[in-house]
Amino acid sequence: MLKTRIMPTMLFKDLGLVKGVAFDSWRRVGSIMQTVKVYNMREVDELVFLDITATREGRAPDFETIDELADECFMPLTVGGGVRSVEDVRRLLQVGADKVALNTMAMEQPTLIREVATRFGSQCVVVSIDTRQHPDGRHEVFIRSGTQATGRDPVEAAREAEALGAGEILLTSIDRDGTMQGYDLDLIRLVSRAVAIPVIASGGAGNFEHMAEAILDAHASAVAAASIFHFTQQTPREAKQHLHSRGIAMRL
Amino acid sequence: MLKVAIVDYGMGNLDSVARAVEECGGKAFITSQSQDLETATHIILPGVGAFPAGMRNIRARGLDRILSEQVLAKRIPCLGICLGMQLLATRGYEVEETEGLGWIPGEVRRLQPQGPDDRIPHVGWNAVTPQRPSPLFREIPVGKDFYFVHSYRFACADPQDELATTPYCGGFTSAVARGNILGVQFHPEKSQRAGLQLLRNFLDPNAPC
């Protein structure tokens, strides 16, 4: 049986790992290499590494840093941030990324999704969708690390990404990000119902029961989390044990 | 000295495989040069991507001829990983019908969901159960989880070539073997301790696969 994945998210900014609240108020949380080594030793299911300032600074991904961290990473690695072209994707895969997350470009130039999927296969294309919720309940997709509205509905954006060849959706609620108040279950449910590719829930995990809700109630295929691992004593292994006790197939 | 040629045919993630081979005590070299392939003790055909692009690149570099010589004639142990395993088949049906290397008879077809939980691609950790004893799975518990990321599966023409299966979309062949030719649908280089053990088994000169 396919196991549900727990994916620690590492956000990279100014040469260090950070974590914020609602894509703001960034705090430094440690060195990349050390964190990767610990996660590798603990056999976490998969790592997500996002360079959150590359696009805004008009930078390419930091291939050298990613090469170094991938060398320590005998586990699946998804890399995003600043990916603008098929060539960027090729270089990221070459230095050791298994999957590449497209966020801003997936909305500004959706044909890139198809180009990458055709060249390297759908399985390595993760479309990362960041959303904010309006007071009327409507969800809207934001790009450039949440700084720019697109006017697009996340369900429609996810469907389009799937049709163009995306292999997974990384779905992040900016409102919930860093709050540890729980995932946006309605959002996850809407998107996971709309597509047949795996949906990774992101933004808001504060305890293990939040993860169980995202998987059991909102049908997420995997859960990503950062604050819970950076700022509390809780580990991915304990999370897996809890979810296993809730009847979810986990890799223990 | 283990000289492990990691075949570079322009299809992704070679560095991870090389790192894992080095971790297992092999000397890894990423190459598409015939002189390197001719001196290799082991050949790994990695690969991420689509079947037609993979075969096109292999043929454009003349690798099909060199690899056939090494693997079929000289019987150098060869391990295909993910797309590299699929290319061992007679033909694939990803994007368009494409002739494969044809070293293990079979076809590569899309996984067919059996229910709403069978999302495609099949991404994540899933159990691998060998169908018969094999040195490749030595010291690896039956049903151990390995990391998968793929949308297509290898359907062997001869059941004898099926080495292991995995329960998804009604079950599929997750490892194949025919003599010195082996293939795994999962990524040993990304499957942590169990994956490194499998690579160590593949490279073990005392108990060849």
Side-chain angles (χ1 to χ4, degrees), chain B residues 52-74:
Chain B
M55 278 315 297
R56 219 169 18 246
N57 289 1
I58 282 186
R59 293 194 204 287
R61 289 165 168 76
L63 284 166
D64 46 339
R65 192 186 49 75
I66 303 161
L67 287 171
S68 295
E69 172 76 20
Q70 296 305 308
V71 177
L72 298 182
K74 295 191 190 154

Side-chain angles (χ1 to χ4, degrees), chain A residues 3 44-45 71 98 120 192, chain B residues 13 19 49 119 125 145 192:
Chain A
K3 311 304 184 292
V44 306
D45 294 331
D71 280 354
D98 299 282
F120 305 105
S192 61
Chain B
N13 217 344
R19 272 284 296 142
R119 289 173 184 259
W125 298 81
D145 288 316
Q192 294 162 339

Side-chain angles (χ1 to χ4, degrees), chain A residues 1-5 39-46 67 70-77 90 93-99 117-124 162 166-168 191-193 195-199 219 221 237 250-252, chain B residues 8 10-16 19-21 23 47-50 53-54 57 82 94-95 110 116-127 143-151 166-168 187-194 196:
Chain A
M1 181 147 187
L2 181 61
K3 311 304 184 292
T4 300
R5 288 164 290 157
Y39 283 140
N40 194 58
M41 201 172 63
R42 291 185 177 168
E43 300 224 303
V44 306
D45 294 331
E46 182 163 346
D67 193 358
D71 280 354
E72 293 299 328
C73 207
F74 297 112
M75 65 191 141
L77 175 66
R90 189 191 66 75
L93 295 177
Q94 191 180 41
V95 298
D98 299 282
K99 298 186 256 183
T118 306
R119 173 83 192 272
F120 305 105
S122 287
Q123 79 292 327
C124 72
E162 179 182 33
E168 275 179 297
V191 174
S192 61
R193 268 194 199 141
V195 296
I197 55 178
V199 174
H219 308 292
S221 296
R237 181 172 294 278
M250 304 301 293
R251 189 173 70 107
L252 295 172
Chain B
D8 179 7
M11 300 301 279
N13 217 344
L14 308 174
D15 219 31
S16 303
R19 272 284 296 142
V21 164
E23 193 73 13
V48 169
N57 289 1
C82 196
E94 182 172 1
V95 190
R110 197 172 163 81
D117 290 338
D118 284 345
R119 289 173 184 259
I120 312 285
H122 174 224
V123 189
W125 298 81
N126 207 337
K144 186 76 183 167
D145 288 316
F146 285 84
Y147 185 76
F148 289 86
V149 52
H150 64 116
S151 305
T166 291
Y168 200 73
H187 287 272
E189 78 280 13
K190 291 287 170 175
S191 294
Q192 294 162 339
R193 279 192 275 275
L196 294 177

Side-chain angles (χ1 to χ4, degrees), chain A residues 1-50:
Chain A
M1 181 147 187
L2 181 61
K3 311 304 184 292
T4 300
R5 288 164 290 157
I6 296 181
M7 301 161 53
T9 308
M10 301 163 53
L11 301 176
F12 177 69
K13 181 179 189 283
D14 307 328
L15 301 173
L17 288 189
V18 296
K19 185 67 197 100
V21 176
F23 284 25
D24 205 347
S25 316
W26 303 104
R27 282 165 64 183
R28 290 203 55 154
V29 292
S31 97
I32 302 167
M33 292 313 294
Q34 207 174 347
T35 308
V36 169
K37 281 180 188 167
V38 168
Y39 283 140
N40 194 58
M41 201 172 63
R42 291 185 177 168
E43 300 224 303
V44 306
D45 294 331
E46 182 163 346
L47 275 185
V48 181
F49 178 84
L50 301 174

Side-chain angles (χ1 to χ4, degrees), chain B:
Chain B
M1 178 66 173
L2 297 169
K3 291 182 69 183
V4 186
I6 294 161
V7 183
D8 179 7
Y9 58 108
M11 300 301 279
N13 217 344
L14 308 174
D15 219 31
S16 303
V17 178
R19 272 284 296 142
V21 164
E22 301 270 343
E23 193 73 13
C24 294
K27 173 89 190 92
F29 47 104
I30 295 170
T31 184
S32 57
Q33 302 298 316
S34 56
Q35 61 269 33
D36 287 336
L37 290 164
E38 278 160 15
T39 56
T41 58
H42 294 76
I43 293 172
I44 293 181
L45 191 59
V48 169
F51 196 109
M55 278 315 297
R56 219 169 18 246
N57 289 1
I58 282 186
R59 293 194 204 287
R61 289 165 168 76
L63 284 166
D64 46 339
R65 192 186 49 75
I66 303 161
L67 287 171
S68 295
E69 172 76 20
Q70 296 305 308
V71 177
L72 298 182
K74 295 191 190 154
R75 301 183 62 81
I76 302 291
C78 175
L79 176 68
I81 297 174
C82 196
L83 176 64
M85 162 192 177
Q86 296 179 354
L87 297 180
L88 304 175
T90 317
R91 63 179 55 83
Y93 291 88
E94 182 172 1
V95 190
E96 62 199 5
E97 185 177 333
T98 308
E99 200 180 324
L101 292 167
W103 297 347
I104 297 185
E107 293 181 340
V108 176
R109 291 190 179 271
R110 197 172 163 81
L111 287 163
Q112 292 301 321
Q114 310 289 302
D117 290 338
D118 284 345
R119 289 173 184 259
I120 312 285
H122 174 224
V123 189
W125 298 81
N126 207 337
V128 172
T129 303
Q131 299 302 295
R132 52 184 157 93
S134 160
L136 192 62
F137 286 95
R138 195 161 31 83
E139 288 180 44
I140 296 172
V142 170
K144 186 76 183 167
D145 288 316
F146 285 84
Y147 185 76
F148 289 86
V149 52
H150 64 116
S151 305
Y152 286 75
R153 65 182 177 92
F154 193 130
C156 289
D158 182 349
Q160 296 280 329
D161 297 331
E162 286 177 12
L163 183 57
T165 59
T166 291
Y168 200 73
C169 288
F172 68 90
T173 301
S174 49
V176 293
R178 173 176 275 224
N180 60 316
I181 306 164
L182 303 135
V184 290
Q185 182 59 67
F186 49 85
H187 287 272
E189 78 280 13
K190 291 287 170 175
S191 294
Q192 294 162 339
R193 279 192 275 275
L196 294 177
Q197 180 63 44
L198 184 134
L199 287 174
R200 239 174 255 126
N201 292 344
F202 171 64
L203 299 175
D204 188 346
N206 300 316
C209 290

